[in-house]
Amino acid sequence: MKQCLLLTLLLFLPVGCSKKNKTVEEVKNVNLKTQLKEPFTINLSKSREYLHVFKLTDIASEVKYIPLETNDLSLIGNRYSYPKFTKDYLYIDNGGIIMQFDMTGKFVRSINRKGQGPGECSARDFDIDEKNQLIHIFDNWNLGIYSFDFEGKHVKTLRNPFSDMSKADNSPVHMGCDKNGNFVFTFGNNSGKMEYKYIVTNREGETLYKCPNYIKYSINEPKGRTRQFSMPFFDFYTFNDCYYYDYAYNDTVFRINDDFSCTPYYIRNLPNKKTLEDILKRDAGIIQNSELAGKNGYDFCREDNKYIYIYHYQYPVDNNYKSFLSRFDKDSGELLENINVNVANNWDGGMDIELSPAFQQENTLCMMFQPFEMQEKLTEEHFRNAEIAFSEESEALRTMVNGLKEDDNPVLMVIKLK
C-alpha cells in the first residue's frame, strides 16, 4: 500500500521542470500562445454552482448545417464517429467503414471494405494525412495500417508494427497521424503490465519513439489476491499540428515535442479529486462505491486559439453525474468555472448542444442530429418562444427541417469557435 501511495504521489509531480509552476494570477495579461514556456496552473473550483451559463453566441463565430445525403450506399447506422475534415471533404467512421462526403453533404464513396482479404479492413481508428493526400485506417482485427488515397484506392498496407511485443502490451487503443505523416499509437489495458503510454512509428513501420509507462500499481485484496493496474485512462488531442495528452488521474496535461518526448504543458488543479487509490480500493472491495460520492474527476480537455476547455464531473450521488466545463482564457488568464456542458442555441433557435471533447477538432465543434429528433423538437411553437440572434439563419433552418424525411441520414451541425 505504501508503494501504491508513493507511486500515486509521483504521478502528480511534473516532469522536466525545475522552476516553480506559474499560477493563474501570475499569467494574467500574458499571451500564453507565444510567451509562456513553463507549465502553468489552472486552479479549478470545488463549487458546484453555475457561475456562468453558455449560450451558443458566446462561443460560435459561424454555424452551418450539412444534411448528409441518403441513398443505398450511404446509409449511416447507429455506430458512427464524429467527422474528420480536410479542405474539400469530411470523413465518418460508420461502424468500421470510412465514408467520404463533400462539404455540402453529397456522398462521394466508401473508402474501405470490411473483410480480411487484400486491402480489406475494419476501422478501429483512422486519421488523415492531407499533406500526402492519404487516409490511414487502423485495422481492428490485425492491427495493420491500411492507407488509401482520396479516391479510395488502396495504396499500401503496413503490417502490425507491434508484432514483437507481448500480448499483454499489444493493445493499442487509438492511432493518429502527425504533421509529418508519422503514426502515433496510444495504449491501455488493466493488466498492470502495460509497458508504454504511446509509440511513434514512421510510415514504413520503423519505431521512432517509445514513451515508457512508469506508473504501474498493485493492491492486495481482502481475499489475498493482488490487483494490478496500468493507467489506460488518457486522451490525446491535436492543436496547431501538435499532440497533447492527459490522464484521468493526473493533474498534468503534457505536450509531445518534435522529438516525440513529452513535457508538462499545464497543471489543472481540481479539489476533492477521486484518486487512483480510491478506484483500486473500490475495485478490490476495500471501500464501497458510495464512499466516492461527491468526489470530483477529470473528463479530458481541449483547446482552440483562445481558450482551454477543461471537462470535469462530480462522482454520482444517487446515480446522477454532474458534468461541468471550465474555460480558461489563454490571453488574459481569466477562468470561467463550472459551466454546464449543455449550451442553449440562441444562434438560430435550433437544437441545443452538449459540449464534449469527442465533438471538437481544432477550432471546430460538430454535432449529429437525427431528422426525427429535429422535427420533434423544432416546431413552430418552439421557434416562436426561442431566443434567436440571427433571424435569417433561423428561417433557413426551419426550411431545411421541413424538407427532411424521418429516415434520412443525420444532419451535421458544424460550429466554428471564436
Side-chain angles (χ1 to χ4, degrees):
M1 180 63 72
K2 289 182 179 179
Q3 290 179 335
C4 178
L5 288 171
L6 176 60
L7 286 170
T8 303
L9 290 173
L10 288 174
L11 174 64
F12 295 129
L13 292 176
V15 180
C17 176
S18 59
K19 297 182 179 181
K20 180 182 177 182
N21 294 324
K22 293 180 181 291
T23 66
V24 173
E25 293 299 321
E26 290 174 308
V27 301
K28 282 189 176 180
N29 302 318
V30 174
N31 188 325
L32 301 180
K33 291 176 287 187
T34 59
Q35 297 181 31
L36 193 60
K37 303 300 182 183
E38 301 174 16
F40 54 98
T41 299
I42 301 176
N43 289 311
L44 304 170
S45 172
K46 64 181 180 181
S47 170
R48 283 295 166 249
E49 297 177 359
Y50 295 120
L51 303 183
H52 185 84
V53 178
F54 265 155
K55 294 183 179 180
L56 191 52
T57 52
D58 293 333
I59 62 173
S61 62
E62 179 185 351
V63 175
K64 65 178 180 180
Y65 297 89
I66 304 177
L68 300 176
E69 181 183 0
T70 307
N71 60 45
D72 290 342
L73 298 177
S74 70
L75 293 176
I76 296 177
N78 294 324
R79 292 180 57 247
Y80 58 80
S81 68
Y82 285 82
K84 295 182 179 181
F85 296 91
T86 63
K87 179 177 178 292
D88 299 314
Y89 300 107
L90 63 92
Y91 298 84
I92 295 174
D93 179 356
N94 180 31
I97 300 295
I98 307 304
M99 302 178 70
Q100 181 186 45
F101 295 83
D102 70 16
M103 296 305 291
T104 68
K106 179 178 175 57
F107 176 70
V108 180
R109 61 177 60 87
S110 292
I111 298 298
N112 62 309
R113 292 184 303 172
K114 273 189 175 181
Q116 301 188 51
E120 295 179 334
C121 56
S122 179
R124 174 179 294 197
D125 205 351
F126 79 103
D127 209 351
I128 301 168
D129 179 0
E130 187 162 15
K131 178 181 177 181
N132 295 294
Q133 299 282 288
L134 292 173
I135 303 156
H136 301 295
I137 300 177
F138 183 30
D139 183 57
N140 193 48
W141 293 316
N142 61 34
L143 305 183
I145 306 298
Y146 292 74
S147 300
F148 299 81
D149 64 21
F150 282 11
E151 283 70 49
K153 179 183 177 181
H154 177 230
V155 176
K156 182 179 180 180
T157 297
L158 171 62
R159 299 301 174 188
N160 182 356
F162 316 107
S163 57
D164 61 337
M165 296 170 58
S166 68
K167 289 185 178 180
D169 301 321
N170 197 0
S171 55
V173 179
H174 295 294
M175 181 275 297
C177 181
D178 73 6
K179 61 185 177 182
N180 296 315
N182 301 310
F183 300 126
V184 183
F185 301 90
T186 62
F187 288 76
N189 61 40
N190 289 320
S191 70
K193 300 178 181 179
M194 190 177 75
E195 295 297 324
Y196 304 105
K197 289 184 282 193
Y198 62 89
I199 290 178
V200 183
T201 74
N202 61 20
R203 282 181 287 177
E204 285 68 49
E206 299 168 329
T207 300
L208 302 179
Y209 190 84
K210 293 183 177 181
C211 183
N213 174 35
Y214 297 107
I215 311 303
K216 299 179 183 180
Y217 295 87
S218 64
I219 190 170
N220 293 324
E221 297 184 350
K223 295 181 180 180
R225 295 174 299 177
T226 298
R227 178 178 294 272
Q228 294 181 312
F229 192 95
S230 281
M231 295 188 56
F233 303 106
F234 57 86
D235 180 56
F236 269 64
Y237 71 92
T238 58
F239 175 67
N240 283 346
D241 291 327
C242 185
Y243 270 96
Y244 299 83
Y245 77 88
D246 69 279
Y247 283 118
Y249 299 106
N250 192 346
D251 292 332
T252 307
V253 175
F254 294 88
R255 177 194 287 114
I256 297 182
N257 305 309
D258 288 341
D259 64 356
F260 310 120
S261 64
C262 59
T263 52
Y265 176 35
Y266 68 88
I267 315 297
R268 47 187 180 170
N269 182 22
L270 182 63
N272 192 29
K273 289 187 298 291
K274 177 183 63 175
T275 67
L276 185 56
E277 184 185 4
D278 290 332
I279 301 303
L280 287 169
K281 286 183 175 180
R282 181 199 64 185
D283 291 348
I286 298 173
I287 64 174
Q288 299 299 311
N289 195 54
S290 59
E291 296 179 59
L292 301 181
K295 289 201 169 186
N296 303 314
Y298 297 123
D299 193 13
F300 309 139
C301 53
R302 289 294 185 269
E303 65 181 291
D304 55 36
N305 288 330
K306 187 170 177 58
Y307 300 112
I308 293 174
Y309 302 89
I310 301 174
Y311 298 79
H312 49 103
Y313 64 92
Q314 189 176 63
Y315 206 70
V317 180
D318 299 328
N319 296 318
N320 292 315
Y321 276 90
K322 295 182 180 179
S323 297
F324 302 93
L325 172 65
S326 293
R327 188 182 72 177
F328 180 77
D329 191 307
K330 297 181 183 179
D331 293 315
S332 68
E334 180 185 16
L335 182 70
L336 295 177
E337 295 188 88
N338 301 330
I339 302 165
N340 190 339
V341 294
N342 297 311
V343 177
N345 185 353
N346 66 329
W347 186 278
D348 51 25
M351 302 291 284
D352 293 341
I353 68 170
E354 177 184 340
L355 292 178
S356 167
F359 308 156
Q360 185 174 344
Q361 179 181 333
E362 297 282 340
N363 293 334
T364 302
L365 279 170
C366 296
M367 307 294 298
M368 301 270 271
F369 294 108
Q370 296 293 339
F372 71 87
E373 294 176 328
M374 301 184 78
Q375 291 174 337
E376 289 176 359
K377 170 75 173 179
L378 304 181
T379 63
E380 289 300 317
E381 181 180 2
H382 167 83
F383 282 110
R384 282 196 300 270
N385 297 323
E387 179 182 352
I388 296 173
F390 301 100
S391 56
E392 290 185 6
E393 296 192 29
S394 178
E395 185 60 36
L397 173 61
R398 293 162 71 177
T399 301
M400 183 200 73
V401 172
N402 289 335
L404 293 174
K405 297 179 181 178
E406 185 174 306
D407 56 355
D408 279 347
N409 270 337
V411 174
L412 177 64
M413 181 183 185
V414 181
I415 302 165
K416 293 294 183 181
L417 299 172
K418 288 184 177 179

